Amino acid sequence: SCLSLPSSWDYRHVCAFIGLPESIIAAACSRSGRRVLHVDSRSYYGGNWASFSFSGLLSWLKEHQENSDIENDSPVWQDQILENEEAIALSRKDKTIQHVEVFCYASQDLHEDVEEAGALQKNHALVTSANSTEAADSSFLPVEDESLSTMNCEMLTEQTPSSDPENVLEVNGAEVTGEKENHCDDKTCVPSTSAEDVSENVPIAEDTTEQPKKNRISYSQIIKEGRRFNIDLVSKLLYSRGLLIDLLIKSNVSRYAEFKNITRILAFREGRVEQVPCSRADVFNSKQLTMVEKRMLMKFLTFCMEYEKYPDEYKGYEDITFYEYLKTQKLTPNLQYIVLHSIAMTSETASSTIDGLKATRNFLHCLGRYGNTPFLFPLYGQGELPQCFCRMCAVFGGIYCLRHSVQCLVVDKESRKCKAVIDQFGQRIISEHFLVEDSYFSENMCSRVQYRQISRAVLITDRSVLKTDSDQQISILTVPAEEPGTFAVRVIELCSSTMTCMKGTYLVHLTCTSSKTAREDLEPVVQKLFIPYTEMEIENEQVEKPRILWALYFNMRDSSDISRSCYKDLPSNVYVCSGPDCGLGNDNAVKQAETLFQEICPSEDFCPPPPNPEDIVLDGDGLQPEASESSAIPEANSETFKESTNLGNLEESSE
């Protein structure tokens, strides 16, 4: 239940919404000695950066549907606004998610006693509408005469057994045992917890069903193994030399997380999925390239690593696209395709020559730091990253409160600065600085803002898009746009060792900039790479495409790169954070966090390393309880400092 916050506390910073940029800023401010209050109306951490178990995702879908039905009641805080003040009402509706569609292709042979292993609640809701405003609650089993237009259910056979996921991270030959052995909803160091956390330590029951001859997965098994899933709302990877990795290492926040290296980069060409050689060894061992092509590719990539030293090579080509520039180089069409789509990860029209060369150099620069590809993925999903920074903020005194909404901003008429916020209980919370996520602002305040949209799809499949000897592959694939006005689709396929899906399945994320609804944008790519999971295809041994067990489509608002001036009457001490952008990396969130932190604390270092426990001097010998509380922080640092960070140790061992 929600409790009133201490009104006598002198907060320096109040953050409404707990996304990645806000979490980084909160951690940086708390680390610098500021008193931070972090509130969110949601019951989970991360906002649109969050990760969910399967039942958690279904609950999120239900909340989204209920959110669309909220009526803006007459505000109860109007009586608290003084004569010299005015209020800026905040929105109660989350309008960042639209056009939600859910499809289930696995057998729906559910019975009333089927529930998620370790969960307390039996019934979950499933959104089956074509858009958010028409969503309707339904049980997992449709009513006899009920027609679910977006559901495609086929009868399957018995469940397949599941085993415990691995708890050891292996990157580039180094082995790191994780501190976290359970679901990602673990909220260590944070006082507020979500409903799912109550059952955190309940062991997951093993399925003792006899192994069938064929790998047939039913919907009831997905429900039962739902806590094996950690499904990201936003699909991203971490560049091994990107800003976020550098920040994680510098601040020592990486001790709260573990990572796996992306094992392969794929290309989709002429209807086939192929693996792209990345490192020098991969290039020379590749059977897809001729010896001449290998020399051509190595020569061009060597140039890209230091292209700024050779301006004559690209002088005169700055105003054309990178695609046109590649045509002028001594590269075969096959190599042009690989460099454009799988290394620079751009399209024929999206990047200039300079942008393409920068992207290629960045890709090559990140190779070899932690493995054979430039990318890392956090175990348990992208939603771990905001929680990591929340933990750091909490360690240094930050206060967190979930399920606690902010109703309005209180603005002083003379100074035009925000002096307080009023929460759902009518309590006034005073602070110097306020961070608010874009989605909290009302339609009137955002009337001049033009938003882009991100098209997202999440699939649960039964096999990889490119089968190899190992079933534990983490892959990224870029499918080029085929029609004018559409965008390339990024496909990230995760295996069970990432702790994001149950054993025997893969979790596939598709992302692109929206031109239509998510389903209209992404379904053509889904149809190229996958087929629906039906009994007929199971009996056909020759089927090579992965089969879709379950699919979700939705559009997410992209509020990145929105100028502050676009918001009407924004007080000078209210800072706007954006939601996730469509880019592959997290650089935009880190840049935004650092920029806003420097505006708030211009003379402070951004997320400095934690102090060495041996150098910490405790003030005063007085009150014993306070001394013991103070010593808790260096004790925690001492426990983890010797480990350095997983990232730091691995970097030394790999380079």
Side-chain angles (χ1 to χ4, degrees):
S1 63
C2 295
L3 301 175
S4 296
L5 295 167
S7 58
S8 60
W9 288 29
D10 179 24
Y11 299 111
R12 297 288 299 277
H13 310 279
V14 172
C15 302
F17 193 82
I18 308 180
L20 181 58
E22 296 89 343
S23 300
I24 295 174
I25 296 171
C29 291
S30 181
R31 176 67 184 86
S32 299
R34 268 64 175 177
R35 187 181 293 277
V36 176
L37 171 65
H38 213 157
V39 297
D40 199 325
S41 60
R42 297 170 174 84
S43 60
Y44 53 87
Y45 289 82
N48 284 350
W49 302 82
S51 302
F52 296 102
S53 67
F54 190 76
S55 65
L57 183 64
L58 299 181
S59 298
W60 174 79
L61 291 169
K62 182 182 179 182
E63 286 180 16
H64 169 70
Q65 182 266 323
E66 292 174 345
N67 180 275
S68 65
D69 296 335
I70 290 177
E71 297 292 337
N72 281 322
D73 302 327
S74 57
V76 297
W77 39 263
Q78 284 185 337
D79 296 338
Q80 301 192 36
I81 305 302
L82 305 178
E83 291 185 3
N84 62 337
E85 299 172 344
E86 63 182 48
I88 299 178
L90 299 179
S91 176
R92 294 182 59 196
K93 294 184 179 182
D94 180 6
K95 298 183 179 179
T96 60
I97 305 296
Q98 296 179 329
H99 309 299
V100 178
E101 298 185 64
V102 177
F103 297 85
C104 180
Y105 299 98
S107 169
Q108 295 230 13
D109 54 343
L110 284 182
H111 305 286
E112 291 184 1
D113 59 344
V114 175
E115 62 182 38
E116 181 180 82
L120 295 179
Q121 295 183 351
K122 179 184 295 184
N123 297 323
H124 311 278
L126 176 61
V127 175
T128 59
S129 68
N131 59 64
S132 61
T133 61
E134 298 174 356
D137 294 344
S138 68
S139 64
F140 288 125
L141 284 176
V143 181
E144 187 173 348
D145 295 329
E146 183 180 9
S147 173
L148 300 178
S149 60
T150 62
M151 303 292 288
N152 184 352
C153 308
E154 298 292 340
M155 294 304 296
L156 298 177
T157 57
E158 295 295 325
Q159 304 175 20
T160 57
S162 174
S163 60
D164 291 334
E166 301 168 13
N167 285 319
V168 178
L169 166 65
E170 296 181 6
V171 182
N172 199 31
E175 200 171 86
V176 183
T177 302
E179 296 177 8
K180 182 171 181 181
E181 298 178 356
N182 289 318
H183 187 260
C184 75
D185 286 340
D186 179 19
K187 302 295 188 288
T188 307
C189 300
V190 187
S192 297
T193 57
S194 64
E196 288 187 6
D197 295 340
V198 177
S199 59
E200 183 66 33
N201 295 321
V202 179
I204 298 176
E206 289 294 332
D207 186 357
T208 57
T209 308
E210 183 180 352
Q211 176 71 38
K213 293 181 180 180
K214 297 176 183 178
N215 183 26
R216 303 179 181 183
I217 301 171
S218 65
Y219 189 62
S220 60
Q221 185 180 357
I222 296 176
I223 295 297
K224 189 172 183 180
E225 299 290 338
R227 288 172 64 82
R228 303 287 188 198
F229 290 90
N230 287 293
I231 302 172
D232 295 325
L233 294 183
V234 58
S235 177
K236 289 180 176 290
L237 298 176
L238 285 76
Y239 280 93
S240 64
R241 296 186 189 275
L243 296 180
L244 184 54
I245 290 291
D246 292 342
L247 180 62
L248 288 167
I249 295 173
K250 171 190 174 185
S251 62
N252 208 16
V253 170
S254 58
R255 62 186 168 178
Y256 298 126
E258 295 179 88
F259 303 84
K260 279 187 94 59
N261 187 244
I262 304 306
T263 57
R264 59 186 184 177
I265 295 172
L266 306 177
F268 182 77
R269 193 177 183 202
E270 297 177 354
R272 299 195 314 274
V273 177
E274 300 175 345
Q275 185 166 348
V276 175
C278 294
S279 66
R280 182 186 298 269
D282 287 343
V283 170
F284 285 106
N285 290 330
S286 174
K287 297 180 180 179
Q288 304 168 19
L289 305 178
T290 66
M291 189 59 66
V292 174
E293 284 182 319
K294 292 176 182 179
R295 293 194 185 100
M296 287 180 178
L297 182 59
M298 288 306 303
K299 183 177 180 180
F300 181 74
L301 295 181
T302 301
F303 155 70
C304 289
M305 277 295 291
E306 299 179 329
Y307 75 91
E308 291 176 326
K309 294 182 179 180
Y310 308 99
D312 293 340
E313 294 291 330
Y314 58 88
K315 190 175 182 180
Y317 298 106
E318 294 97 326
D319 297 330
I320 64 174
T321 64
F322 187 52
Y323 173 64
E324 294 294 331
Y325 173 73
L326 291 176
K327 289 182 177 180
T328 67
Q329 302 301 299
K330 294 180 180 179
L331 297 173
T332 64
N334 184 33
L335 296 180
Q336 293 174 23
Y337 187 95
I338 290 175
V339 172
L340 184 69
H341 297 293
S342 299
I343 296 179
M345 293 188 177
T346 184
S347 64
E348 285 82 352
T349 58
S351 297
S352 66
T353 297
I354 300 300
D355 290 339
L357 290 172
K358 286 180 179 179
T360 303
R361 181 180 64 178
N362 184 48
F363 181 99
L364 299 172
H365 183 61
C366 293
L367 282 174
R369 188 178 193 183
Y370 298 116
N372 238 12
T373 70
F375 306 111
L376 294 176
F377 180 79
L379 291 189
Y380 303 96
Q382 173 81 21
E384 284 294 288
L385 299 177
Q387 294 186 63
C388 289
F389 286 98
C390 289
R391 291 184 184 112
M392 177 183 176
C393 179
V395 165
F396 287 94
I399 298 174
Y400 282 82
C401 192
L402 298 179
R403 297 181 289 274
H404 200 102
S405 62
V406 175
Q407 303 295 309
C408 71
L409 305 175
V410 180
V411 180
D412 184 81
K413 288 184 178 180
E414 291 186 12
S415 64
R416 300 305 303 167
K417 285 190 173 184
C418 182
K419 57 194 296 189
V421 295
I422 297 178
D423 67 9
Q424 64 201 59
F425 301 108
Q427 180 180 0
R428 180 177 288 225
I429 303 171
I430 300 173
S431 178
E432 292 183 21
H433 303 280
F434 301 85
L435 275 84
V436 183
E437 206 267 348
D438 168 272
S439 63
Y440 273 58
F441 291 132
S442 64
E443 290 185 3
N444 178 59
M445 200 166 187
C446 301
S447 59
R448 297 196 299 256
V449 178
Q450 295 293 323
Y451 293 110
R452 295 172 295 185
Q453 296 288 327
I454 303 170
S455 289
R456 289 277 292 113
V458 179
L459 312 178
I460 300 175
T461 65
D462 68 340
R463 67 177 75 171
S464 174
V465 291
L466 183 61
K467 195 172 182 180
T468 59
D469 294 337
S470 171
D471 62 351
Q472 296 301 309
Q473 298 281 358
I474 312 172
S475 312
I476 178 171
L477 164 67
T478 302
V479 180
E482 289 190 347
E483 299 178 4
T486 61
F487 299 89
V489 176
R490 182 174 70 246
V491 182
I492 296 177
E493 182 185 71
L494 305 173
C495 60
S496 60
S497 64
T498 62
M499 311 303 181
T500 59
C501 57
M502 60 182 272
K503 201 157 189 175
T505 65
Y506 288 82
L507 190 64
V508 183
H509 293 276
L510 293 89
T511 308
C512 74
T513 302
S514 300
S515 56
K516 302 175 184 177
T517 67
R519 184 183 172 192
E520 291 172 323
D521 285 337
L522 300 174
E523 196 171 50
V525 174
V526 171
Q527 292 173 348
K528 290 178 183 178
L529 298 173
F530 308 95
I531 58 173
Y533 193 95
T534 65
E535 184 72 23
M536 184 171 58
E537 268 76 22
I538 292 175
E539 299 299 332
N540 183 3
E541 298 286 351
Q542 303 301 319
V543 174
E544 296 182 358
K545 291 183 178 180
R547 295 185 290 256
I548 307 171
L549 302 167
W550 186 86
L552 164 67
Y553 296 90
F554 63 92
N555 289 89
M556 177 184 290
R557 176 190 290 177
D558 181 357
S559 56
S560 62
D561 300 327
I562 300 294
S563 172
R564 179 185 174 88
S565 61
C566 293
Y567 301 98
K568 292 174 60 178
D569 303 324
L570 188 66
S572 59
N573 62 334
V574 174
Y575 306 90
V576 185
C577 293
S578 70
D581 63 324
C582 197
L584 175 60
N586 296 274
D587 283 4
N588 185 70
V590 178
K591 288 178 181 177
Q592 182 180 159
E594 185 168 9
T595 299
L596 294 180
F597 175 79
Q598 295 300 341
E599 291 182 21
I600 297 171
C601 309
S603 60
E604 299 287 343
D605 188 14
F606 180 60
C607 282
N612 188 325
E614 298 175 357
D615 298 334
I616 295 178
V617 178
L618 301 179
D619 295 332
D621 298 324
L623 298 174
Q624 191 65 28
E626 290 185 4
S628 63
E629 288 178 7
S630 300
S631 65
I633 293 177
E635 181 181 347
N637 288 340
S638 176
E639 180 181 342
T640 55
F641 186 82
K642 292 180 181 179
E643 299 177 4
S644 184
T645 64
N646 294 347
L647 294 175
N649 288 339
L650 290 171
E651 179 182 2
E652 293 174 4
S653 65
S654 65
E655 288 188 323

